[in-house]
Amino acid sequence: MRFRFQRKKSTDRSGDLSGITAVDLLDEVSAGLFARPGRMILTVSGTVIGIAALVATLGLARTAGNRILGRFDELAATEIYVTTQPVADGETPEHLPWDSPERMQRLEGVVAAGNLATVDTNGALISTSPISDPATQTEFELPVQAASPGMFNAVRAKVANGRLIDEGNSQRADHVAVLGSGAAIRLGITSVAQMPALRIGDELYSIIGIIDRVARQQDLMGAVIIPEGTARKEYGVTTPDLVVIETQIGAATLIAKQTPLALRPDNVTVLKIASPSEPKRVKDAVVNDLNTLFLLLGGVSLLVGAIGIANVTLVSVMERTGEIGLRRAIGATRLHIATQFLLESTSMGFVGGVIGASLGTFVVVGVAAFQGWTPVLNPVMPILAPVGGAVIGLLSGTYPALRAARMEPVAALRTGT
Amino acid sequence: MPDQPPSPTIELRELSRVFPTEPPVRALEGVDLTIYNGDWIAIEGPSGSGKSTLLNVLGCLDRHTSGTYLFEGMDVSTLTDRERAGLRGRRIGFVFQSFHLLGHRSVLENVMMAEVYRHQSRHERRTRATTALEKVGLGHRPDFMPTRLSGGEQQRVAVARALLGAPSVLLCDEPTGNLDSKTSDMILDLFAELHEEGYTIAMITHDSDIAQRAERRIHITDGHLQEAS
């Protein structure tokens, strides 16, 4: 490499111009760096920590953000609740058709749909024991819900034990019940293996299953759930209170529009449809909050790294005053001196960036693996981080390099040893 | 070289260097000096006499204020900074009082550094540096680190570095200033040998015992030169 920024005065002098080959320059830079390996490692570690923190925080922000969004999206963006419009006292409330789930299933984009109705048991208490023990409470006041078979899918119920209510149970109006885990604990039921039963008032019901988790309608966890057909027959339930619909992602808005026509073509205004509204905006807000915070953290650590490089390079320039003087005497121009120090600080930043990016990626993958998450990293990051490190090194080295270049060789040779 | 008729390596005409302080310091005034090819010249003077300023001007480390400085017939004042740096790197060999060897480089690498700013291929650089080391009697210690050498040996490494590439002149600033008298004599013996070989040597010192070893002696007082006959 030859620095040609000054015009040549005449051809016979050009052979006398000061210059340095790329090989020699790199040799001098690496020799300068490795003259004090311990210090170089410490200096680089500042950038390593900064870049690692930045890559890790950005990666974790994305990973965690993705995690939050995943849950948030899935649930909120795919659910529709249908109820009837409330009516004033005295008026007859509107009804939802019993075949709402079937009607909804016919629509493209509906994953699951089910009815839910609160059963009015006239204050009947629920008990699993035929004997009334005065010492302990054996009868409980628990909500009773009537569910269509599709309901369990629509709320994503997870069976802990036994099975769920099926179509046959509903059609035959079987006396079977599924317990939410909360209700099961209160009633002292842990398993359906021994075919336990419960009484609602005086009616006996076989407990066929226990559910331990629902994604929606958390009330169900504390309830006794009986088949829809049974509730209609035994308790005279006339209409579902709620239709729960799960749609495919992105289909909710369209399905919500179609629902009134599907369920009440005679009078579309009596239904109240609750569907997700613009979840994207909420999601963006969450992501932005996360990113701003983490970017700030990474930026601060990077700034600390940059100051570290600037500081050490400056100290190095001061210590190498004699060397700078000597280099000027043996033919180095100011530009050569500045270039050498800039390259030294830049390569320290670059190496710090490479190591930092690797460490940061490790942290993201490690944390994600530990949490069972999917690590999400911007693929540009591992490439950008070393470049960023190099830029930081370059910027940090600018002032020290200028100081070195401005040094008068005479004074440098006099003071330095 | 010694058989050639002497031609001027360095010619100073009415040269002055004024430092623009308040009041201005006239470090050199009306200096006329010719150093011929093959000269061994000592420039003597007490501290503050202007001898360091003269050395810096001669070494193209500092620019003179007025007058003429011809280096091998070339007017130095017309050169750009980069050309002056090139001149320093190729035509002038420096030897300093405090040696200025890089402590983390081997003896051979220190000598090889002389070629770094000459935009020169590394081909046979090692051989050239080894030859220079042999010339100063250190051919057997190329891989030593300078810190393990005595002061006299370190200065010989510095001389070898200055000799690499056969410069037109060796400029020495108190070359024995950090050495004891016995070692000083050895360095001066080395200069005598180099002088015999035809090297041009300009040596600055405040010590008249050192200066008397030179062929020509010039006194500098308050920026004025006076040549001893």
Side-chain angles (χ1 to χ4, degrees):
Chain A
M1 183 183 352
R2 205 173 229 212
F3 299 104
R4 292 195 188 279
F5 68 103
Q6 276 170 340
R7 70 195 164 85
K8 275 192 275 177
K9 286 209 156 179
S10 62
T11 44
D12 67 317
R13 275 183 198 162
S14 68
D16 288 344
L17 279 176
S18 162
I20 184 167
T21 61
V23 181
D24 274 337
L25 180 62
L26 292 180
D27 208 33
E28 293 304 308
V29 167
S30 65
L33 282 172
F34 287 101
R36 291 173 182 81
R39 175 191 289 178
M40 183 186 64
I41 289 166
L42 283 177
T43 313
V44 166
S45 69
T47 327
V48 168
I49 292 167
I51 294 275
L54 198 73
V55 170
T57 45
L58 281 177
L60 286 177
R62 277 183 75 118
T63 303
N66 197 55
R67 176 86 189 149
I68 291 166
L69 287 180
R71 301 175 69 136
F72 179 82
D73 267 355
E74 250 186 344
L75 272 180
T78 60
E79 65 190 9
I80 300 174
Y81 297 110
V82 186
T83 52
T84 50
Q85 295 282 6
V87 291
D89 284 349
E91 287 182 43
T92 322
E94 288 289 342
H95 69 274
L96 283 161
W98 285 110
D99 63 348
S100 294
E102 288 77 35
R103 295 187 191 199
M104 293 310 299
Q105 288 283 12
R106 279 183 222 129
L107 297 179
E108 183 67 37
V110 171
V111 175
N115 292 333
L116 202 60
T118 305
V119 178
D120 182 4
T121 57
N122 285 318
L125 295 179
I126 293 160
S127 156
T128 49
S129 168
I131 302 154
S132 288
D133 181 357
T136 53
Q137 190 185 3
T138 55
E139 295 191 307
F140 301 90
E141 196 177 331
L142 291 174
V144 178
Q145 297 273 352
S148 68
M151 182 67 205
F152 296 99
N153 277 340
V155 298
R156 297 191 193 172
K158 189 172 167 287
V159 182
N161 208 282
R163 64 176 183 86
L164 294 170
I165 293 163
D166 62 23
E167 195 65 44
N169 296 137
S170 192
Q171 280 172 7
R172 294 187 299 270
D174 287 344
H175 279 209
V176 294
V178 168
L179 299 180
S181 59
I185 289 166
R186 287 193 68 189
L187 292 169
I189 306 289
T190 53
S191 161
V192 297
Q194 291 175 324
M195 296 198 281
L198 60 75
R199 279 186 297 120
I200 304 175
D202 291 329
E203 296 291 327
L204 266 173
Y205 284 80
S206 300
I207 301 171
I208 58 168
I210 299 168
I211 53 176
D212 69 348
R213 199 187 300 159
V214 287
R216 310 185 168 98
Q217 295 295 309
Q218 298 295 332
D219 289 355
L220 290 175
M221 299 311 291
V224 175
I225 306 156
I226 60 171
E228 196 173 71
T230 314
R232 288 169 72 179
K233 189 183 167 202
E234 301 291 337
Y235 297 97
V237 177
T238 53
T239 171
D241 297 324
L242 176 72
V243 179
V244 180
I245 302 154
E246 170 157 322
T247 71
Q248 285 171 4
I249 291 180
T253 314
L254 182 68
I255 300 291
K257 259 188 225 164
Q258 297 170 342
T259 302
L261 267 174
L263 298 187
R264 286 298 299 270
D266 57 319
N267 191 352
V268 293
T269 59
V270 299
L271 297 185
K272 193 178 159 196
I273 317 287
S275 66
S277 55
E278 300 271 351
K280 200 172 176 305
R281 210 172 287 166
V282 188
K283 151 183 143 179
D284 288 348
V286 174
V287 172
N288 278 343
D289 282 355
L290 280 171
N291 277 357
T292 311
L293 178 70
F294 286 126
L295 266 176
L296 210 66
L297 273 169
V300 167
S301 32
L302 213 55
L303 187 70
V304 173
I307 293 170
I309 292 190
N311 198 20
V312 171
T313 312
L314 197 59
V315 169
S316 167
V317 166
M318 295 303 145
E319 279 183 354
R320 289 159 69 184
T321 303
E323 180 188 327
I324 293 165
L326 170 77
R327 286 179 186 279
R328 293 298 302 279
I330 62 172
T333 60
R334 291 180 198 276
L335 187 63
H336 291 146
I337 300 292
T339 307
Q340 179 174 347
F341 279 97
L342 273 182
L343 278 178
E344 284 185 19
S345 68
T346 306
S347 36
M348 281 198 284
F350 180 77
V351 170
V354 172
I355 300 173
S358 319
L359 274 182
T361 309
F362 261 119
V363 169
V364 174
V365 173
V367 169
F370 183 73
Q371 298 278 6
W373 297 348
T374 311
V376 183
L377 255 178
N378 192 334
V380 184
M381 256 328 216
I383 300 156
L384 209 62
V387 175
V391 169
I392 283 161
L394 185 72
L395 293 179
S396 317
T398 304
Y399 173 67
L402 287 179
R403 282 280 295 263
R406 279 195 203 123
M407 251 175 214
E408 282 304 325
V410 182
L413 286 164
R414 194 75 46 76
T415 54
T417 50
Chain B
M1 277 196 287
D3 300 322
Q4 291 170 355
S7 62
T9 302
I10 286 170
E11 278 182 277
L12 306 182
R13 296 277 167 269
E14 281 296 312
L15 184 129
S16 64
R17 175 69 172 105
V18 182
F19 292 103
T21 48
E22 194 58 47
V25 175
R26 301 179 173 278
L28 295 174
E29 234 182 337
V31 170
D32 287 301
L33 174 67
T34 306
I35 301 176
Y36 292 99
N37 189 6
D39 269 358
W40 182 8
I41 187 168
I43 298 163
E44 297 176 70
S47 54
S49 58
K51 64 180 191 300
S52 290
T53 308
L54 179 60
L55 182 96
N56 292 327
V57 169
L58 287 177
C60 294
L61 292 166
D62 193 11
R63 284 177 182 273
H64 57 276
T65 314
S66 63
T68 313
Y69 174 12
L70 300 178
F71 190 98
E72 295 184 328
M74 188 160 57
D75 190 348
V76 170
S77 62
T78 64
L79 299 183
T80 64
D81 281 347
R82 193 174 157 209
E83 285 165 335
R84 292 156 59 89
L87 185 68
R88 285 200 300 273
R90 290 163 206 266
R91 311 279 185 94
I92 302 173
F94 287 91
V95 177
F96 305 101
Q97 177 175 357
S98 49
F99 323 137
H100 283 301
L101 300 177
L102 299 188
H104 55 275
R105 306 265 193 110
S106 73
V107 162
L108 191 69
E109 285 171 333
N110 264 288
V111 176
M112 283 160 64
M113 260 195 75
E115 288 192 358
V116 163
Y117 296 100
R118 290 180 192 165
H119 198 264
Q120 195 171 336
S121 148
R122 292 153 75 97
H123 182 65
E124 293 193 340
R125 184 179 291 177
R126 199 166 277 272
T127 316
R128 290 191 290 273
T130 308
T131 310
L133 270 178
E134 279 162 0
K135 197 187 275 287
V136 300
L138 277 174
H140 58 296
R141 290 189 168 169
D143 297 323
F144 267 54
M145 297 311 270
T147 42
R148 292 185 53 202
L149 299 180
S150 70
E153 287 172 320
Q154 289 190 47
Q155 191 61 302
R156 281 194 277 165
V157 175
V159 172
R161 180 179 63 197
L163 290 176
L164 197 65
S168 308
V169 61
L170 281 184
L171 279 185
C172 312
D173 184 14
E174 302 276 10
T176 59
N178 282 7
L179 303 175
D180 58 49
S181 58
K182 195 181 159 205
T183 322
S184 295
D185 282 342
M186 286 167 72
I187 292 293
L188 290 168
D189 290 344
L190 175 63
F191 283 165
E193 282 171 36
L194 294 172
H195 172 59
E196 284 298 311
E197 285 181 38
Y199 278 96
T200 312
I201 304 169
M203 182 173 81
I204 280 199
T205 181
H206 67 279
D207 188 338
S208 55
D209 289 342
I210 305 292
Q212 70 174 4
R213 294 284 304 267
E215 184 186 56
R216 282 173 71 194
R217 292 174 70 175
I218 289 175
H219 286 272
I220 180 165
T221 330
D222 298 331
H224 295 274
L225 288 195
Q226 192 187 4
E227 179 145 11
S229 51

